[in-house]
Amino acid sequence: MRWSQMFAPTLRDDPAEADAPSHRLLLRAGYVRQLTAGHYSLLPLAVRVRAKIIEIVRQEMDAIGAQEMLLPALHPAEPWRRSGRWELMGQEMFRLKDRRGADHALGMTHEEIFATVARELNSYKQLPQQWYQFQTKFRDEPRPKGGLMRTREFTMKDAYSFDVDRAGLDVSFDAYHGAYTRIFARLDLPALACEASSGTMGGAGSTEFMCPADVGEDLVVHSPACGYAANIERATSALPAASDDPGPPAPERFDTPGVRTIDDLTAYGAPGDRQIKTLVYVLDGTLTLVLLRGDHALNEQKLVDATGAARIRPAEPEEIRSALGALPGSLGAVGVALPVIADEALRGRRSMFTGANIDDVHLRGVDVARDIAVGSWADLREVAAGEPCPRCGEPLEIVRAIEIGHIFKLGDRYARALGVEVLDPDGKRVPVVMGSYGIGVERAMAAIVETHHDERGIVWPVAVAPFEAAVVIAQSDDADVADAAERIYGALRDAGVDVVIDDRAERAGVKFRDVELTGIPYRITVGRRGLAEGVAEVTARATGETKKVPLDTAAAHVRALLAPV
């Protein structure tokens, strides 16, 4: 490839709309251009990187016996309705009607469609099956951001496993876990395997692969001491056991004029860990009280996971007043007939403080087991940094991270909904057990840039760089310099190196800047001074180190640098 013929529209200045390093650099280096919010055109350099990421993922999928397919991106509504997700997905799903008036959607994911194909499986003897694809997905993100990290149109590698039982699913899940670990190592992406919520996917469990980054939208709770890692939506910690005095035989009212917050109530001898925080939520249309310790915060995803609610929102003040007779600040669950779900940190607590459901009045001496009709218990609180790790007891850290992969144990939910059954060894028809495994290709590209860049631009790992090397003709108007550079370029091409030659009639400084900005791992510079010495300069993008090597061995030197360790 010749730079003079390549479309790589680099920019001198940072684009004003860029809100993350990867967004800024992919725009500046001529990899992408925005069409509209959440939709990007991938230009030639980005297509080359994307193809290399896909090939690495494909190799690791093939290595565990997965078979590649390609399923439609436009889906009829019927399989989504059968799974219950047509309504559950809400406004994030792009929906449309065809000319006959039939409902369709642009695929956000493909569990239902792969399950439809799997209806042709008949016997346990055909299992396990591992299928995957690279396909465009569509999500009507309310706030696309971060360039390629949160878009409305993107490429997903989604894979699906089909087993006769849960023991088989465990084996498949472990195989994908290993494959993902290898994929991210080959992409040179640091990846924490984190316990995670399954969200709208459902199933028995899931693992997210999270890449620590300042621009990450997720929070990961991590123990450097033992390696424990979990998305904050799933994380737990080892709280010290509470020791409460028995308290009075019944709750006692006391006036609290002007008290509206947990902090306000501490002035009445009620520390945060002795208070019961009462939140009011509407879960699938039902007003529900959610109880936590006063100094703890609710994680809403934990509430969704614990209740299975499809629609969740905080109650409005007028709803709260109508149901409880008071406004937030004086709410409690003592003597209330509404459904109550409580955080595990309140189990067994005595002599606690809570609202009396009368404005400016509270209760002391509340025994949770005696005085509150808790309908269900769950881990609802959000973990805070510094709390003890549930495994090793050492302080937990919370870091921002980018989700770069997610694997799910789906179970038989989709098989039951869509009629995917096989004969088991006893001759009985049973639903297959599924797993789902995703990697966002363009998001992986952005995550690599987030973790591999400096003040001069992108620093691609060799495995995914658009070109492994760039030969730069320092003085393109000098025939001897150009001829020497062309010989090195030809030798590298003959050796199978992915190389570009910068033959533009530009100043050397412009060419150097563009090679650095676009992140090509090795630059081979041929100029008049070097030609007089019989050498070329080989510069490593990652370190900035430059070495002079004889012209006739320059190609071999670069090949050696690119050889696998």
Side-chain angles (χ1 to χ4, degrees):
M1 173 60 68
R2 296 183 175 276
W3 209 299
S4 60
Q5 299 170 357
M6 185 169 67
F7 184 62
T10 58
L11 306 173
R12 286 191 176 274
D13 299 316
D14 289 341
E17 71 271 23
D19 57 0
S22 61
H23 189 192
R24 170 173 55 83
L25 289 170
L26 288 169
L27 284 169
R28 272 197 65 201
Y31 282 80
V32 301
R33 289 295 182 264
Q34 180 173 301
L35 176 63
T36 187
H39 298 267
Y40 284 83
S41 300
L42 302 187
L43 305 186
L45 290 174
V47 168
R48 296 178 72 91
V49 174
R50 176 182 179 274
K52 291 184 177 182
I53 293 172
I54 285 175
E55 185 54 30
I56 287 171
V57 176
R58 177 178 284 121
Q59 289 173 6
E60 295 298 340
M61 290 296 96
D62 293 348
I64 62 171
Q67 305 164 78
E68 186 169 357
M69 297 185 176
L70 185 60
L71 276 58
L74 180 65
H75 303 168
E78 185 269 339
W80 286 85
R81 287 193 170 116
R82 290 183 64 176
S83 73
R85 294 206 298 173
W86 182 258
E87 295 78 17
L88 185 62
M89 286 302 186
Q91 294 182 333
E92 286 192 3
M93 178 180 278
F94 282 104
R95 294 173 171 85
L96 66 155
K97 291 183 182 290
D98 67 15
R99 65 178 64 195
R100 299 175 183 84
D103 289 323
H104 288 73
L106 297 175
M108 300 172 65
T109 182
H110 274 70
E111 282 74 18
E112 287 84 355
I113 313 307
F114 269 92
T116 300
V117 175
R119 287 197 293 229
E120 295 197 40
L121 297 170
N122 297 308
S123 170
Y124 76 94
K125 295 179 181 178
Q126 296 171 280
L127 303 180
Q129 289 285 330
Q130 315 286 346
W131 301 343
Y132 75 99
Q133 66 171 350
F134 296 94
Q135 178 58 289
T136 305
K137 311 288 187 183
F138 301 88
R139 293 184 186 175
D140 193 0
E141 291 282 356
R143 291 175 297 277
K145 61 182 295 186
L148 297 184
M149 280 196 290
R150 183 169 290 279
T151 59
R152 304 203 298 173
E153 178 180 354
F154 54 95
T155 309
M156 177 73 73
K157 187 287 301 177
D158 49 329
Y160 302 86
S161 61
F162 302 85
D163 288 277
V164 72
D165 55 26
R166 294 185 183 275
L169 171 60
D170 290 344
V171 173
S172 294
F173 189 86
D174 289 345
Y176 280 95
H177 193 291
Y180 274 40
T181 300
R182 293 189 294 274
I183 287 167
F184 297 127
R186 292 178 65 181
L187 297 179
D188 204 2
L189 275 174
L192 291 171
C194 301
E195 298 175 18
S197 165
S198 295
T200 58
M201 299 288 283
S206 70
T207 297
E208 284 177 333
F209 290 83
M210 306 293 283
C211 175
D214 291 339
V215 299
E217 292 186 306
D218 287 279
L219 293 175
V220 170
V221 178
H222 175 55
S223 169
C226 70
Y228 170 78
N231 190 300
I232 200 160
E233 298 174 344
R234 189 78 174 182
T236 62
S237 62
L239 291 179
S243 178
D244 299 327
D245 293 331
E252 300 171 349
R253 289 188 183 186
F254 64 105
D255 293 334
T256 52
V259 167
R260 296 291 179 268
T261 68
I262 298 296
D263 286 342
D264 290 343
L265 193 58
T266 60
Y268 291 80
D273 63 350
R274 295 281 308 283
Q275 296 184 44
I276 300 172
K277 180 187 294 182
T278 304
L279 306 176
V280 187
Y281 272 78
V282 181
L283 306 178
D284 289 336
T286 300
L287 211 64
T288 303
L289 301 189
V290 181
L291 308 185
L292 297 104
R293 210 171 77 180
D295 57 341
H296 289 164
L298 172 69
N299 185 288
E300 282 195 358
Q301 185 60 51
K302 287 188 175 184
L303 180 61
V304 171
D305 292 344
T307 61
R311 297 179 305 280
I312 174 175
R313 65 173 175 84
E316 299 293 339
E318 55 271 21
E319 293 174 303
I320 297 171
R321 170 76 80 179
S322 175
L324 298 175
L327 289 174
S330 298
L331 302 181
V334 175
V336 173
L338 293 174
V340 176
I341 181 171
D343 182 67
E344 289 287 354
L346 291 176
R347 193 187 287 270
R349 296 301 304 272
R350 301 180 299 179
S351 196
M352 301 289 282
F353 293 78
T354 191
N357 291 323
I358 301 171
D359 288 335
D360 298 326
V361 177
H362 281 73
L363 300 175
R364 61 167 63 93
V366 175
D367 183 312
V368 175
R370 180 191 67 196
D371 301 322
I372 299 176
V374 176
S376 59
W377 294 88
D379 173 22
L380 302 175
R381 68 183 184 87
E382 186 161 290
V383 169
E387 292 180 354
C389 173
R391 292 184 185 169
C392 68
E394 293 299 309
L396 290 166
E397 297 179 357
I398 298 180
V399 297
R400 290 202 165 273
I402 302 166
E403 179 190 329
I404 51 177
H406 206 160
I407 59 179
F408 300 85
K409 291 183 178 181
L410 297 177
D412 60 10
R413 166 185 174 178
Y414 296 92
R416 288 184 181 278
L418 291 147
V420 187
E421 296 182 338
V422 296
L423 291 174
D424 71 6
D426 296 326
K428 295 187 299 183
R429 297 201 67 80
V430 297
V432 300
V433 182
M434 291 176 59
S436 177
Y437 316 90
I439 291 176
V441 175
E442 289 85 15
R443 178 176 284 199
M445 186 189 308
I448 294 169
V449 177
E450 289 293 336
T451 54
H452 296 278
H453 71 272
D454 59 22
E455 69 281 358
R456 297 188 302 278
I458 302 169
V459 186
W460 290 113
V462 170
V464 297
F467 297 97
E468 296 169 313
V471 177
V472 174
I473 306 173
Q475 296 87 25
S476 56
D477 58 347
D478 187 311
D480 291 337
V481 170
D483 182 62
E486 291 284 356
R487 288 198 300 273
I488 294 173
Y489 171 63
L492 288 169
R493 289 187 64 190
D494 291 345
V497 174
D498 204 355
V499 60
V500 60
I501 185 169
D502 195 342
D503 57 341
R504 294 176 294 170
E506 292 279 3
R507 292 180 291 106
V510 171
K511 298 179 181 183
F512 295 162
R513 186 204 69 188
D514 281 350
V515 172
E516 289 181 335
L517 179 61
T518 55
I520 298 171
Y522 293 100
R523 184 184 80 220
I524 304 96
T525 305
V526 181
R528 291 193 186 100
R529 184 180 303 171
L531 190 62
E533 300 176 20
V535 298
E537 293 182 348
V538 178
T539 302
R541 177 66 182 88
T543 64
E545 181 181 351
T546 296
K547 183 174 183 179
K548 292 182 178 181
V549 297
L551 287 167
D552 57 357
T553 64
H557 179 78
V558 173
R559 289 201 309 272
L561 292 173
L562 294 169
V565 178

